Amino acid sequence: MNSELTERQAFLVLNALPNIGPITLNRLLAELGADPRLVLAAGQRRLESVKGVGPVISASIAAWREHFDLAREEAWMAKSGADFITTRDAGYPRLLKEIHDPPIGLYRKGRYEFGAPCVAIVGSRRTTLYGQATAKRFGAELARLGFCIVSGLARGIDTAAHEGALSVGGKTAAILGTGIDLIYPPENLELYRRIEAEGAILSEFPFGRRADRQSFAMRNRIVAGVSDAVIVVESDVDGGAMITARFAGEQGRLIFAVPGRIDQNSSAGCHQLIRDGATLLTSVDDILSELNYLDGLRPAPIAEKPAEVAAGRPANLTADEARIYECFRGGAILAPDALAAETGLSAAQLSATLMMLELKRLIAKRADGAFEARG
């Protein structure tokens, strides 16, 4: 065994070796004892007995020091404040472990550990003002409800989604298609720093790895893999967001698409997704109804069914939630206007608080737009 290496260092080495995909790496770990040091110590004949491993891969593993400078990589990580998390660490996104080709490890900056459900918002780099505004609005509304917003830090929709989450003090995660030290596009340096401070930045690629067609596709599978649902805001039929949506479908995630103008290529991909069965998305209510239908995917800080207290009112309510919930005593059915008049809350406060009460499964929205308490 490569006893001079720690287990984490061995994971770092395997992750960085060329010509070895995540499926092969996971298969090697499964067949050679799970400890990455056993993989590095195995002879080439033993390595080649594993399905998918040929002479090129076995030679790369046997001579890993010729391909990867571990000391330099660790120095770069220390200097930049990055760490490397593996599938055995608490901070590794839970859902990502369930896809068929999860990375064996991820470089990470920021300390957010994905304790809440994630929703990815993706779309075109060449977007419209409508698309940017829509992505920012959904990012803000979902983050306010406790979801972590996931995207790829790219221009256009990705940037708007991250900014929306940060604008309300929410959590957001950026998945990179480069090494974690390369900020692309460069104008997103300040956004990169804000995400690092408030959320997390992840990459499966070693320091210095530049983007290419393959790396962006690999990034897209992670964007979908960490998320419970994927929202495509604007994309042409050949856009990268369509690749993310395809991965989401293969991984069993919910897929939403925002409709746009029929004469703009930037919405053609969304319309194709809707024709193919994605859920048409016009408001956060569309997402909440899907999640309530599945009876899950609610943010962790929100109790699934608050306990009853002596006063007959659910526990763990904010002051605004309690004020609105009291209005439904005696089986009242109330429209938003009536609730606003009775509580004195602004339209924005009322809308956000009603959503929280829906998520807590305390009230339900009727077909006529009014609300009533759940039995």
Side-chain angles (χ1 to χ4, degrees):
M1 184 182 292
N2 280 266
S3 56
E4 74 277 12
L5 299 179
T6 67
E7 183 180 77
R8 191 175 304 278
Q9 287 175 322
F11 270 117
L12 195 62
V13 169
L14 286 175
N15 183 75
L17 291 180
N19 306 315
I20 311 178
I23 293 176
T24 300
L25 286 172
N26 281 291
R27 187 177 293 134
L28 282 164
L29 288 167
E31 295 197 20
L32 296 179
D35 190 323
R37 291 169 293 187
L38 293 174
V39 177
L40 293 175
Q44 288 187 241
R45 180 176 297 180
R46 177 68 181 97
L47 291 170
E48 291 172 23
S49 69
V50 176
K51 181 181 178 182
V53 178
V56 173
I57 291 178
S58 66
S60 179
I61 294 174
W64 67 264
R65 290 177 178 82
E66 299 176 12
H67 301 285
F68 182 63
D69 189 333
L70 176 60
R72 183 179 63 181
E73 192 80 356
E74 290 184 317
W76 282 344
M77 289 171 60
K79 183 177 180 180
S80 68
D83 61 355
F84 186 78
I85 55 174
T86 75
T87 53
R88 301 176 187 181
D89 292 316
Y92 190 100
R94 176 184 56 82
L95 282 181
L96 189 59
K97 298 177 186 179
E98 300 175 4
I99 69 174
H100 80 284
D101 56 349
I104 63 170
L106 293 164
Y107 292 82
R108 179 183 67 174
K109 295 183 76 172
R111 290 296 177 266
Y112 180 63
E113 294 194 346
F114 297 89
C118 296
V119 175
I121 301 178
V122 296
S124 177
R125 291 172 173 81
R126 298 179 297 277
T127 188
T128 65
L129 292 176
Y130 158 78
Q132 293 175 33
T134 300
K136 190 168 185 176
R137 176 168 62 87
F138 282 135
E141 291 180 0
L142 288 166
R144 188 182 289 114
L145 291 172
F147 293 94
C148 174
I149 304 304
V150 177
S151 203
L153 199 70
R155 294 185 180 100
I157 297 301
D158 290 19
T159 293
H162 291 306
E163 289 178 340
L166 291 170
S167 72
V168 296
K171 298 300 182 184
T172 185
I175 315 297
L176 306 188
T178 65
I180 203 165
D181 58 321
L182 300 180
I183 301 170
Y184 183 82
E187 64 264 26
N188 274 354
L189 172 60
E190 181 58 31
L191 178 59
Y192 178 103
R193 289 171 174 167
R194 290 171 64 201
I195 295 172
E196 179 183 356
E198 301 296 332
I201 297 171
L202 301 177
S203 173
E204 68 178 310
F205 302 111
F207 277 69
R209 167 67 184 270
R210 297 196 174 275
D212 55 34
R213 183 176 293 273
Q214 180 187 27
S215 70
F216 278 126
M218 293 176 70
R219 182 274 304 273
N220 292 346
R221 96 186 189 285
I222 298 177
V223 170
V226 302
S227 304
D228 296 285
V230 171
I231 300 171
V232 181
V233 176
E234 282 188 328
S235 177
D236 59 34
V237 293
D238 297 319
M242 299 293 282
I243 297 175
T244 306
R246 189 191 75 220
F247 281 125
E250 293 172 352
Q251 296 164 0
R253 309 308 192 225
L254 293 171
I255 305 173
F256 297 87
V258 176
R261 289 180 49 158
I262 62 173
D263 60 349
Q264 287 185 333
N265 289 336
S266 60
S267 292
C270 292
H271 296 158
Q272 178 176 299
L273 288 171
I274 293 168
R275 287 196 303 270
D276 291 343
T279 301
L280 185 150
L281 179 64
T282 59
S283 74
V284 168
D285 285 344
D286 297 328
I287 299 175
L288 299 183
S289 64
E290 286 288 323
L291 302 186
N292 285 335
Y293 173 75
L294 293 175
D295 195 30
L297 309 186
R298 289 181 293 277
I302 299 173
E304 184 170 347
K305 189 68 174 178
E308 297 294 323
V309 295
R313 190 181 74 195
N316 303 321
L317 297 185
T318 66
D320 286 349
E321 290 167 1
R323 189 184 313 174
I324 291 176
Y325 188 73
E326 286 297 315
C327 296
F328 293 101
R329 278 188 175 276
I333 298 174
L334 299 169
D337 288 347
L339 286 167
E342 192 165 339
T343 62
L345 296 175
S346 68
Q349 289 175 303
L350 184 66
S351 177
T353 308
L354 286 171
M355 283 186 185
M356 294 297 288
L357 289 171
E358 281 190 276
L359 279 171
K360 291 182 177 182
R361 301 182 66 78
L362 293 175
I363 64 172
K365 189 174 185 180
R366 294 159 49 92
D368 60 4
F371 292 84
E372 63 182 334
R374 288 179 176 269

